[in-house]
Amino acid sequence: MTLTYRIVIGMVAGLAVGLLLQWLSLPKEHVVSEFLTFGLIEGGGEIFISLLRMMVVPLVLVSLTCGAASLGATGRLGGKAIGLYLVTTAIAVTLALSLALIVDPGLDAGEIPDISYEAREAPSTKDTLVNIVPKNPIAAMADGAMLQIILFALLLGFSISQVGEAGARIQSVFEDLNAIFMKLITLVIELAPYGVFCLMVKLGVTVGWSEITKLLAYFLTVASALAIHMLVVYPTLLKLLSGLNPITYLKKMREPMLVAFSTSSSGATLPVTLRTVENRVGVSNSVASFAVPLGATINMDGTAIMQGVATVFIAQYYGIALGPEQLLMVVLTATMASIGTAAVPGVGLVMLAMVLDQVGLPVAGIGLIIGIDRLLDMMRTAVNVTGDGMVATVVAASEGELDQSKFDDPNAGRIIEPS
Ligand code: ASP
């Protein structure tokens, strides 16, 4: 049985168990709740996420240093990747705004009590730029500051490529380490069915049906925009820009999608995305090691979609009409916010405050949608990682860095039996 099926089984079984437990509504002190649901099972999910996170910093550093060392100059590649990330995000928000304006998912004022929500201040552009340069690479790694690690690894790799024999020796050490980390990821991914099971039990127990029904129109608008982006926009862009078969691509990306859905974190999913894009899709290490971590950090199309719909929804709730200028402002700020959104659960909502602030909407409106954000977060994270892989694939194809035979081989890099 392939890993994908085992993950799907883990997911369905976990959700079923979780829903059953919710239906039984055992008190928190009950032995099943205390030791199983919120003990072993919740702990199992957290261990799985920690195992994934454990891999992120060493993997990005080693893999990207290798990639930069063997590619030398990455200027053009970087420009293409960043450009595509921004364009896809802008398309995502535009799609979300259009759909929200058509569907009109607003609530009648007063239907849901106002919950206050504190906005965090957005960092200035200067701070954002200055913060990309690490003062101390070790501190950057300890903090998991992804853009700083990316910059350091690029410079390190470039320097390695410039110093002849000494560089070649170090490069081979990094390449060996990279192979070892790839093996480690494979081992961690093999635990995914169990990790996903635990995470889905937690979801099943805690999912709030009454909130979802109250906000059904909003929920369905976000979900539809996410589905259109994933199943229409990405396939069209992939076909137009690289000529590759989008169905093959989407099929190969199923594992990162499932892990992203269960963990709600494109950061934690990064090792799985990177492995899949290299070993299953056939993108070279040089392109994947740069484009995928960069995408996990700055590319959040799914998040931008939620922000687009949420802005319209909140504006309607407060009876504030959004003019064309404000809509354009939403596209720009949501695209920028997506760059600043950390790849962890729920941050999209924090960044929404910045978007609302820009167009003069009350930030407290976030209180309206906070109750159902968890499930939407899972869905949008799956879209986020699919977009990262899509851009990496398009850039690789345009640079002659895609292994077409790997792309066409349905079994390339597939994990079938546990090793
Ligand atoms: N959970 C999302 C991610 O990690 C970010 C967000 O939208 O909150 O990709």
Side-chain angles (χ1 to χ4, degrees):
M1 209 195 288
T2 63
L3 182 69
T4 313
Y5 285 114
R6 282 187 275 136
I7 298 180
V8 172
I9 292 173
M11 188 172 254
V12 175
L15 193 61
V17 171
L19 290 174
L20 179 74
L21 287 168
Q22 182 176 126
W23 179 70
L24 291 173
S25 60
L26 302 171
K28 257 210 136 150
E29 320 65 63
H30 191 281
V31 63
V32 172
S33 307
E34 205 174 318
F35 289 103
L36 209 63
T37 322
F38 297 104
L40 288 180
I41 293 181
E42 188 171 25
E46 283 168 14
I47 288 174
F48 176 60
I49 294 186
S50 298
L51 281 172
L52 288 169
R53 287 207 161 281
M54 169 186 92
M55 304 293 313
V56 173
V57 170
L59 182 71
V60 171
L61 179 75
V62 168
S63 175
L64 184 50
T65 304
C66 286
S70 58
L71 205 66
T74 42
R76 193 184 54 222
L77 201 149
K80 274 188 197 171
I82 294 174
L84 275 171
Y85 282 139
L86 293 181
V87 170
T88 51
T89 310
I91 296 176
V93 203
T94 312
L95 167 74
L97 286 175
S98 319
L99 203 67
L101 289 170
I102 297 169
V103 173
D104 194 357
L107 284 173
D108 295 333
E111 229 176 271
I112 288 191
D114 237 357
I115 309 156
S116 71
Y117 190 87
E118 286 279 325
R120 261 197 246 161
E121 238 179 86
S124 71
T125 316
K126 180 198 134 197
D127 287 348
T128 311
L129 281 177
V130 171
N131 279 338
I132 296 177
V133 184
K135 280 189 213 71
N136 174 350
I138 307 292
M141 286 179 240
D143 294 342
M146 206 43 77
L147 289 180
Q148 297 192 351
I149 300 172
I150 289 177
L151 185 74
F152 179 69
L154 280 176
L155 294 174
L156 186 65
F158 178 71
S159 308
I160 288 175
S161 72
Q162 300 298 305
V163 291
E165 217 184 287
R169 280 197 302 269
I170 289 295
Q171 187 174 346
S172 78
V173 171
F174 270 86
E175 271 160 14
D176 289 352
L177 274 175
N178 194 32
I180 293 167
F181 282 134
M182 278 290 170
K183 178 67 197 167
L184 192 49
I185 300 167
T186 311
L187 295 177
V188 173
I189 299 177
E190 278 166 5
L191 295 174
Y194 310 101
V196 166
F197 171 83
C198 295
L199 292 167
M200 295 308 281
V201 172
K202 174 92 187 287
L203 173 76
V205 177
T206 48
V207 71
W209 294 115
S210 60
E211 289 282 336
I212 293 182
T213 6
K214 255 187 260 170
L215 294 167
L216 198 61
Y218 166 75
F219 185 88
L220 291 180
T221 312
V222 178
S224 316
L226 290 173
I228 296 173
H229 199 65
M230 171 114 96
L231 301 174
V232 180
V233 176
Y234 286 151
T236 312
L237 286 174
L238 187 69
K239 188 77 199 163
L240 286 180
L241 299 175
S242 67
L244 293 165
N245 183 343
I247 301 187
T248 310
Y249 170 74
L250 287 177
K251 274 191 179 162
K252 293 204 168 203
M253 286 296 286
R254 280 184 300 204
E255 274 155 27
M257 283 179 208
L258 290 169
V259 174
F261 181 81
S262 327
T263 59
S264 288
S265 165
S266 30
T269 312
L270 178 59
V272 187
T273 320
L274 194 57
R275 184 192 175 279
T276 305
V277 168
E278 275 186 38
N279 297 4
R280 302 257 305 121
V281 180
V283 174
S284 75
N285 166 259
S286 318
V287 174
S289 65
F290 171 67
V292 173
L294 184 71
T297 316
I298 70 165
N299 182 54
M300 310 254 166
D301 295 356
T303 305
I305 285 177
M306 174 279 286
Q307 291 172 341
V309 178
T311 309
V312 173
F313 176 77
I314 291 168
Q316 286 172 345
Y317 178 83
Y318 287 103
I320 301 168
L322 293 172
E325 257 171 54
Q326 279 165 307
L327 291 175
L328 188 66
M329 196 61 175
V330 175
V331 175
L332 290 178
T333 38
T335 306
M336 290 302 140
S338 125
I339 298 180
T341 306
V344 289
V347 184
L349 218 50
V350 178
M351 297 307 277
L352 175 61
M354 190 174 122
V355 181
L356 295 177
D357 232 17
Q358 282 294 323
V359 287
L361 287 172
V363 172
I366 293 179
L368 297 172
I369 51 172
I370 207 164
I372 60 160
D373 197 58
R374 177 79 191 134
L375 202 52
L376 289 173
D377 193 6
M378 300 171 84
M379 297 185 200
R380 67 183 182 247
T381 308
V383 173
N384 289 346
V385 303
T386 312
D388 301 341
M390 197 279 293
V391 168
T393 309
V394 167
V395 172
S398 76
E399 294 280 323
E401 295 278 337
L402 183 94
D403 182 341
Q404 185 74 42
S405 59
K406 241 188 215 176
F407 184 86
D408 292 332
D409 176 4
N411 289 323
R414 181 174 243 178
I415 303 172
I416 300 191
E417 291 301 326
S419 52

